[in-house]
Amino acid sequence: MVDLDKIISLCKRRGFIFQGSEQYGGLQGTWDYGPLGVELKNNVKKAWWRYNVYERDDMEGLDSSILLNRLVLKYSGHEATFSDPMVDCRKCKKRFRADQVDPNEKCSEGGTHDLTEPRPFNLMFKTTYGPVADENNIAYLRPETAQGIFINFKNVLDSTNRKLPFGIAQIGKSFRNEITPKNFIFRVREFEQMEIEYFVMPGEDEKCHQEWVEARKNWYIRYGIKPENIRLYNQKKEELAHYAKATVDIHYRFFPERPEEDKQFDEVEGVANRTDFDLSCHTKGGKLVLADGREFPNTDATNKLTYFDPKTNQHLLPYVIEPSCGVDRATLAFMMDAYCEEEVKEGDTRVVLKLHPALAPIKVAVLPLKKNNEDIKSTAHKIKKILLGSGFRTVYDDTAGIGKLYRRQDEVGTPFCVTVDFQTLEDNTVTVRDRDTMAQERVAIDDLKEYIAKRIGHND
Ligand code: ATP
């Protein structure tokens, strides 16, 4: 399997991902998605939305604000507890997450680190809104998209007339002032999440939790992850957030170079049974209870977030199952799993990203065999237009010889190359080259749309 360094170098070389603010020396924990990265990431999000919203009958979508009223994060518990313990080295002045630093590690100032006692560090980015920057105008950038869903529960329920069980899906940016961002896009300060809050009758939560774990695992496999690189991890009692009844993390083999197999895996997604904790914190007259027993009665909320159960004629607070996935980590996992180096013939190796066609940034590259022949070039442009019309991201490229062009497309995961040659001008057929097998087939231009659609599976 490929390690992170190779992926980082491919990302920079081919324009998938660049260091954020690189022009000014970078901004730690931020990354910019380049021309191919934005396509790949968008396709990951599309594949998630399709599978979790469109293909089901019990889901609605949402796009809530990044800036949140401070009260949202007061009653969610984030203001009081969304922190990691951190330590400082008195010698080199660096800051570490207490659970991630080895005290015997070498310090750049000589000897080992001289660490302070752990102190909690709140991970939320604070800002002010409006023209006056004072304590009364504090707002937070959301540290997860979930809270926007909880506070809109009633809006969605009333406007759609949904009955339990049903879910709300949301994709969007989240911000965490991580103490030690690292491992490329694995741990960053600005990232995207794809989250579902699925509302169920209390009592039906455990079965539903298991179903979501299965469904979510199958999504990764459907879009190309090899089953042996995915693991489910049941959080132990002592690891669970105090409000969670159970959490199953989906782990991917992000660190194949580590000698111990268990350490090769880390979280790409968490699937939690959050009971009615969130709705009871945010509902009018509800109460936030923290792990240490502190209580915050909700005297600020404007609405009850209850559900009227027509069977029992009662208002109740639904339970919530939350599959929460990181877009950046999922994108990284799909890239790592797709990356191959293959010896084509002795001494000749090609890099190929065997991405699922639905995720591939470019679906088809149309390549004229001779760039100095106007008829061949114009036919290639015509074919590009035909394929684009079917929604396939198609590019035209005549900037190198055909062998080099094939390799370039292999490296970025383009499933099909269509080559236009002299025979095309005679019989209206083209060569379609398959990325993975490198097999070439002659296809009539009139049949091309259908041929590609069939091979891709679906056209998004
Ligand atoms: P970790 O233990 O790795 O810090 P977490 O358990 O705090 O993650 P959650 O709060 O469960 O993460 O967030 C859900 C998902 O959001 C994670 O599984 C991950 O994919 C993504 N995520 C969380 N924090 C980050 C981050 N700093 N950078 C990139 N993705 C993140």
Side-chain angles (χ1 to χ4, degrees):
M1 249 193 95
V2 64
D3 62 22
L4 266 186
D5 287 343
K6 281 218 167 130
I7 295 288
I8 294 170
S9 132
L10 173 71
C11 283
K12 166 93 176 149
R13 191 169 71 246
R14 296 308 312 275
F16 281 91
I17 301 169
F18 312 118
Q19 169 72 62
S21 303
E22 190 179 16
Q23 176 74 351
Y24 290 96
L27 180 67
Q28 225 199 348
T30 64
W31 294 90
D32 295 344
Y33 286 76
L36 293 174
V38 63
E39 300 290 343
L40 173 61
K41 188 157 85 144
N42 281 343
N43 290 341
V44 169
K45 292 189 277 187
K46 263 196 236 167
W48 184 91
W49 196 265
R50 178 189 177 104
Y51 180 91
N52 293 297
V53 182
Y54 295 167
E55 290 185 10
R56 301 177 61 111
D57 300 314
D58 53 356
M59 294 291 298
E60 301 287 349
L62 182 76
D63 183 13
S64 68
S65 307
I66 288 172
L67 282 175
L68 285 173
N69 186 320
R70 186 177 186 170
L71 293 170
V72 177
L73 295 152
K74 172 184 170 184
Y75 288 112
S76 68
H78 283 83
E79 230 182 18
T81 63
F82 192 60
S83 55
D84 275 340
M86 54 138 212
V87 290
D88 292 299
C89 172
R90 295 185 185 90
K91 286 200 268 182
C92 67
K93 312 287 179 219
K94 278 203 185 124
R95 182 162 284 180
F96 306 95
R97 227 170 94 169
D99 58 341
Q100 287 180 354
V101 65
D102 173 1
N104 298 319
E105 200 177 278
K106 278 212 177 90
C107 174
S108 56
E109 297 301 305
T112 54
H113 289 304
D114 177 10
L115 299 173
T116 59
E117 283 302 302
R119 280 183 292 144
F121 172 76
N122 196 296
L123 299 174
M124 284 197 294
F125 281 96
K126 216 185 228 181
T127 186
T128 53
Y129 62 93
V132 184
D134 69 17
E135 273 292 303
N136 299 320
N137 296 335
I138 284 175
Y140 292 107
L141 306 191
R142 64 184 177 198
E144 57 181 29
T145 72
Q147 297 306 322
I149 301 183
F150 296 130
I151 58 175
N152 277 293
F153 169 70
K154 198 70 177 158
N155 285 335
V156 175
L157 182 67
D158 290 349
S159 56
T160 59
N161 288 314
R162 282 284 181 182
K163 300 278 171 275
L164 291 188
F166 77 97
I168 305 176
Q170 165 154 256
I171 300 178
K173 288 257 177 169
S174 294
F175 302 83
R176 296 183 189 178
N177 199 3
E178 297 279 356
I179 298 163
T180 38
K182 61 178 179 188
N183 293 326
F184 192 36
I185 53 172
F186 180 83
R187 185 173 304 287
V188 290
R189 291 187 169 130
E190 172 176 341
F191 55 102
E192 267 187 281
Q193 291 183 306
M194 307 188 276
E195 296 196 293
I196 294 164
E197 305 303 332
Y198 193 79
F199 302 96
V200 287
M201 290 295 280
E204 289 170 16
D205 51 308
E206 289 182 15
K207 184 165 167 276
C208 181
H209 185 212
Q210 283 317 312
E211 287 166 0
W212 269 111
V213 170
E214 266 316 288
R216 292 301 309 134
K217 187 181 94 184
N218 291 339
W219 178 75
Y220 293 95
I221 293 168
R222 167 160 149 184
Y223 285 100
I225 302 266
K226 294 168 207 72
E228 66 269 25
N229 292 332
I230 286 270
R231 272 190 185 177
L232 297 181
Y233 176 78
N234 265 296
Q235 284 194 13
K236 301 193 186 80
K237 248 204 158 75
E238 62 274 17
E239 292 169 317
L240 284 175
H242 79 280
Y243 48 78
K245 193 163 158 186
T247 297
V248 178
D249 289 335
I250 301 177
H251 283 191
Y252 177 73
R253 201 191 295 269
F254 284 110
F255 307 104
E257 70 285 1
R258 293 182 181 164
E260 274 176 73
E261 201 180 10
D262 274 356
K263 300 231 163 85
Q264 295 176 357
F265 287 82
D266 212 332
E267 179 181 330
V268 61
E269 171 162 353
V271 187
N273 180 345
R274 299 177 66 101
T275 71
D276 60 359
F277 173 79
D278 307 276
L279 292 179
S280 56
C281 293
H282 287 303
T283 194
K284 183 178 180 178
K287 184 163 69 178
L288 162 68
V289 183
L290 296 177
D292 59 14
R294 273 182 294 161
E295 294 190 356
F296 297 81
N298 193 328
T299 50
D300 295 296
T302 53
N303 275 308
K304 285 235 177 254
L305 300 182
T306 48
Y307 170 80
F308 178 70
D309 179 16
K311 283 193 201 128
T312 58
N313 271 346
Q314 277 182 350
H315 293 271
L316 58 92
L317 287 169
Y319 270 31
V320 171
I321 307 300
E322 179 194 74
S324 170
C325 166
V327 179
D328 310 80
R329 285 190 196 178
T331 303
L332 180 60
F334 285 120
M335 281 189 98
M336 290 183 73
D337 229 80
Y339 185 97
C340 303
E341 284 175 15
E342 281 180 357
E343 191 162 60
V344 183
K345 49 184 188 289
E346 223 185 293
D348 181 13
T349 305
R350 71 167 184 153
V351 171
V352 49
L353 268 192
K354 294 188 174 174
L355 288 168
H356 187 289
L359 302 186
I362 299 166
K363 311 298 183 217
V364 187
V366 187
L367 314 171
L369 197 65
K370 287 268 174 287
K371 69 171 170 184
N372 48 11
N373 181 306
E374 284 309 315
D375 289 339
I376 288 183
K377 273 168 60 175
S378 69
T379 307
H381 281 297
K382 211 170 68 199
I383 292 172
K384 172 181 164 162
K385 264 203 187 137
I386 293 172
L387 294 175
L388 262 184
S390 306
F392 305 127
R393 163 98 164 111
T394 308
V395 297
Y396 168 95
D397 193 0
D398 66 5
T399 57
I402 195 72
K404 203 163 185 184
L405 292 178
Y406 283 155
R407 292 294 165 85
R408 273 193 205 157
Q409 295 299 333
D410 288 344
E411 204 181 34
V412 301
T414 307
F416 304 104
C417 286
V418 168
T419 309
V420 182
D421 54 19
F422 287 109
Q423 196 183 327
T424 312
L425 304 180
E426 283 165 24
D427 65 4
N428 275 323
T429 64
V430 289
T431 302
V432 181
R433 174 187 177 270
D434 180 281
R435 174 195 68 198
D436 299 345
T437 61
M438 293 187 283
Q440 303 194 6
E441 230 183 303
R442 212 70 212 176
V443 179
I445 294 175
D446 285 347
D447 300 336
L448 202 53
K449 259 173 26 180
E450 209 180 320
Y451 175 92
I452 302 273
K454 226 186 231 158
R455 300 280 306 273
I456 284 183
H458 52 74
N459 69 359
D460 60 357

